[in-house]
Amino acid sequence: MNKLIVLVLLTLGTPAAWSATYDLVIRGGRVLDPETGLDASVNVGINGGRIARVSAEQLTGTRTIDAHGLVVTPGFIDLHQHAQDDVSGVLKAFDGVTSGLEMEIGVPDVKEFLARKSGHSRINFGTTASHSAARAAAFGQPLASTDLIPASGRSSNDPATPAQLAQMEARLQQELDAGALGIGMGIQYVPGATREEVIRIFRLAASRHVPVFTHVRSAGRTEPGSSIEAVEEVIGAAAVTGASLQIVHINSSCLADAPECLAMVAGARARGLDVTTEAYPYTAGMTTINSALFNPGWQEKFGISYDALMLPNTGERLSRKRFDELHASPTSTDVILFLNRQELVDAVIADPLASIASDGELGHPRDAGTYCRILARYVRELRTVSLMDAIRKMSLMPAQRLEKATATARRKGRIQEGADADIVVFDPATVTDRATYEHPTERSTGMRFVLVNGVLVIDKGALVPGVLPGAAIVSDQDSRGRP
Ligand SMILES: [Zn+2]
């Protein structure tokens, strides 16, 4: 082509105007974009990892996916994904998750985590800076890079000295410099953290323009120390510091008081505070048995006893003797806790304020089934959530939660020109979760195509071997309006 023709073509308009060929075209699907409200049969053209065209016009692609009868939506963004190994990466992809981030607690070493995952992940990833890990280090008991939650001990149960608190803050600053998207605070796992410590950490997050994600201090109805008091603490800390706040798993942190906790979030928002929340669609929780969550008083707090605790791999229900042995062990063992009622979980999931996040860990069905369970149970069977609202809760809302920390998030959770091509194409009539407490790693079914940054990781319902297009999502300076 000579230069004159190139010039003429350039002046005639954008490539889309003259029948471009795209890397990939998704043709004829019902396309949903929760931000613009688009719900129409249109074609999507993808180039270089981004959505280049969304149009009713015929588009030509090097590869074309026929999506007639299927739904095309933004890939799901899981802000609460603990298991970061490839086994879970595969499960998440089958569940429609294109980004899975460790935001509740945060990894102990952000730089090491990002380096380890880069080029080795099917789905996008990211993390918060870990308050618990910074605390453990300040107490001279640093966590291993693969640990998340400290064992119950001095670093979890004792108040920090002023010097230790200053050390924690310095460590969190470093972790934010390394790309952490916020600060993760599992306050219930570090009950030694005073109210003042919590406010100091929120103040640090506010000064860095990143959100705090928190598992609140307590659960249950016993006062002092109720769920409501715990939610008041973090909303208060957000109010006095100006930090943005995501209260994680409001279903399991608030239990029977979840309706009131949601009303408190609504009230905070009505007063102009940036407070959001999330939930997962299961009645059981899961955590480590040697953590401070099981400090004395846990039975009264949660209203359960030993028989509500189950080991994930064997299904063994615990006795007092077995509990005492595992709780005292320095080795952490995962345990499933049956502590919620189905009707409460169903009410929380249907609430417009609750986004969806899995709290995914191997051993609990939520790791593999959270997102397709929303589509199967709440959209198709109970009809308590519309398809568009489900997509909003699973893609746009989590993207928006990250937008203050990174401009990248503005390109996620959307089917719009210029957005990242993180896309799922599924059959709304059959999509379903299949994981159970007995078989927690059963893959969800019904996802026909899943794209991460424009690359197919699920193709015609089958895993594409050897492709690892997941990219790091890290904080940036642009989103904070600084040079
Ligand atoms: Zn938690």
Side-chain angles (χ1 to χ4, degrees):
M1 219 185 294
N2 71 38
K3 277 182 188 163
L4 186 64
I5 296 174
V6 172
L7 203 74
V8 168
L9 288 174
L10 286 173
T11 42
L12 281 177
T14 59
W18 43 279
S19 72
T21 297
Y22 297 92
D23 297 344
L24 182 73
V25 169
I26 303 171
R27 184 182 289 165
R30 176 184 169 193
V31 178
L32 272 72
D33 177 57
E35 188 169 51
T36 59
L38 172 73
D39 181 353
S41 174
V42 290
N43 305 309
V44 179
I46 293 155
N47 261 342
R50 299 266 179 101
I51 297 172
R53 192 85 176 126
V54 179
S55 171
E57 295 160 28
Q58 194 88 315
L59 304 179
T60 312
T62 307
R63 160 119 193 240
T64 299
I65 287 172
D66 179 8
H68 285 92
L70 304 176
V71 169
V72 181
T73 78
F76 309 142
I77 300 170
D78 189 349
L79 295 184
H80 194 152
Q81 175 58 26
H82 296 305
Q84 291 283 334
D85 57 314
D86 191 49
V87 174
S88 286
V90 170
L91 295 176
K92 303 311 286 190
F94 276 102
D95 207 29
V97 174
T98 52
S99 300
L101 299 91
E102 165 57 63
M103 301 296 280
E104 180 198 27
I105 305 286
V107 300
D109 186 336
V110 172
K111 200 174 154 195
E112 184 274 339
F113 170 77
L114 295 175
R116 171 158 48 89
K117 296 273 292 180
S118 289
H120 296 94
S121 186
R122 277 169 220 274
I123 63 174
N124 302 313
F125 52 92
T127 181
T128 46
S130 169
H131 166 243
S132 324
R135 199 170 206 280
F139 275 77
Q141 302 173 327
L143 299 184
S145 69
T146 48
D147 279 350
L148 283 179
I149 294 172
S152 181
R154 276 198 314 114
S155 82
S156 64
N157 299 339
D158 290 1
T161 63
Q164 285 169 327
L165 188 45
Q167 242 180 295
M168 269 181 242
E169 288 169 326
R171 174 68 186 164
L172 290 169
Q173 292 277 17
Q174 279 173 10
E175 294 290 84
L176 290 167
D177 290 341
L181 292 158
I183 298 178
M185 294 189 80
I187 305 174
Q188 194 166 20
Y189 296 107
V190 289
T194 60
R195 269 61 176 176
E196 188 199 356
E197 180 175 327
V198 170
I199 290 169
R200 288 267 296 261
I201 304 299
F202 270 64
R203 194 169 282 141
L204 169 58
S207 77
R208 296 292 300 255
H209 304 270
V210 293
V212 175
F213 282 67
T214 183
H215 172 140
V216 298
R217 187 180 293 276
S218 198
R221 287 186 152 163
T222 311
E223 298 283 14
S226 67
S227 298
I228 288 175
E229 183 194 76
V231 168
E232 270 182 346
E233 179 187 15
V234 291
I235 291 177
V240 298
T241 62
S244 298
L245 167 65
Q246 170 117 321
I247 297 169
V248 308
H249 53 47
I250 201 162
N251 53 305
S252 60
S253 277
C254 290
L255 300 170
D257 284 319
E260 180 55 40
C261 290
L262 282 161
M264 291 165 75
V265 171
R269 295 178 63 80
R271 253 50 74 187
L273 300 182
D274 181 14
V275 178
T276 52
T277 191
E278 59 173 62
Y280 60 83
Y282 294 87
T283 56
M286 178 164 156
T287 191
T288 47
I289 200 165
N290 66 352
S291 70
L293 195 122
F294 290 103
N295 281 1
W298 64 270
Q299 289 157 288
E300 295 72 31
K301 216 175 249 309
F302 294 123
I304 56 172
S305 192
Y306 303 102
D307 61 351
L309 307 183
M310 184 182 99
L311 297 185
N313 298 319
T314 58
E316 177 191 343
R317 294 283 178 151
L318 298 191
S319 62
R320 180 182 184 148
K321 184 171 169 286
R322 188 83 166 108
F323 171 85
D324 287 344
E325 178 188 307
L326 294 169
H327 181 56
S329 167
T331 315
S332 68
T333 302
D334 287 331
V335 66
I336 287 178
L337 311 74
F338 289 91
L339 39 60
N340 215 342
R341 295 209 316 271
Q342 189 64 55
E343 60 271 27
L344 282 165
V345 174
D346 290 348
V348 172
I349 296 298
D351 192 290
L353 282 179
S355 63
I356 303 302
S358 75
D359 201 354
E361 292 169 272
L362 279 172
H364 192 300
R366 66 193 182 193
D367 195 37
T370 291
Y371 291 83
C372 289
R373 185 167 176 78
I374 298 297
L375 296 170
R377 178 175 171 83
Y378 297 92
V379 176
R380 199 167 58 226
E381 289 160 27
L382 300 180
R383 299 187 181 202
T384 50
V385 182
S386 72
L387 179 59
M388 184 67 93
D389 284 341
I391 302 307
R392 182 193 320 283
K393 285 166 174 286
M394 302 194 289
S395 60
L396 182 65
M397 286 170 77
Q400 288 173 330
R401 179 66 289 168
L402 296 181
E403 283 173 18
K404 284 186 181 155
T406 177
T408 304
R410 295 186 201 129
R411 300 195 311 267
K412 303 281 183 198
R414 284 131 170 128
I415 302 282
Q416 292 171 24
E417 292 174 8
D420 290 341
D422 295 339
I423 301 175
V424 292
V425 181
F426 60 91
D427 181 349
T430 61
V431 66
T432 191
D433 59 306
R434 289 173 63 238
T436 61
Y437 295 105
E438 293 73 34
H439 303 287
T441 55
E442 287 292 311
R443 296 168 174 178
S444 293
T445 52
M447 286 291 152
R448 299 291 301 150
F449 302 93
V450 176
L451 285 95
V452 176
N453 297 311
V455 177
L456 282 160
V457 295
I458 305 271
D459 189 351
K460 295 180 184 155
L463 189 71
V464 181
V467 294
L468 300 165
I473 302 174
V474 293
S475 66
D476 59 41
Q477 298 295 311
D478 296 354
S479 61
R480 298 170 207 158
R482 292 197 214 136

